Amino acid sequence: MAGFLLHTDATVQCAHAGGATPDATNPRVKVAGGATVVLPASYSVKPDCKAPRPNAGNGPCVKGSWTSGGATRVKSTGRPLLLDNGSATCVPTGTGLTVIATQRRVKGA
């Protein structure tokens, strides 16, 4: 399914409103001035995750790994570019990452 390409300036958050940034980027392909992200992709969640701490819950979110959402027809360095409609799972909470905003010019399929 088609979606917009994710890049370093995209706004991504965990389910508890913690900001997330990609651990690695792909500088060979840029959109809206930012490097894109390829699968497999992991994101680091910032310490502002609001999940309850271990005594009251299993949070906060630390990492998010994208399990789907790679373009099947658009690749760079032989790897699929990450699209905004993919799904990710955070550890240790098991919740997902959500793309809040990304560039709206370049689509991949």
Side-chain angles (χ1 to χ4, degrees), residues 5-12 22 25 30-37 43 82 101-103:
L5 272 59
L6 283 185
H7 63 306
T8 54
D9 297 326
T11 304
V12 179
T25 59
K30 291 187 177 188
V31 292
T36 54
V37 183
Y43 273 60
L82 186 59
T102 189
Q103 58 81 32

Side-chain angles (χ1 to χ4, degrees), residues 4-22 31-32 34-35 37 43-46 48 66 82-86 88 96-104:
F4 293 103
L5 272 59
L6 283 185
H7 63 306
T8 54
D9 297 326
T11 304
V12 179
Q13 292 181 337
C14 71
H16 313 102
T21 56
V31 292
V37 183
Y43 273 60
S44 292
V45 180
K46 296 176 185 170
D48 60 349
W66 293 88
L82 186 59
L83 304 176
D84 68 344
N85 57 4
L97 288 176
T98 303
V99 178
I100 305 299
T102 189
Q103 58 81 32
R104 296 286 180 198

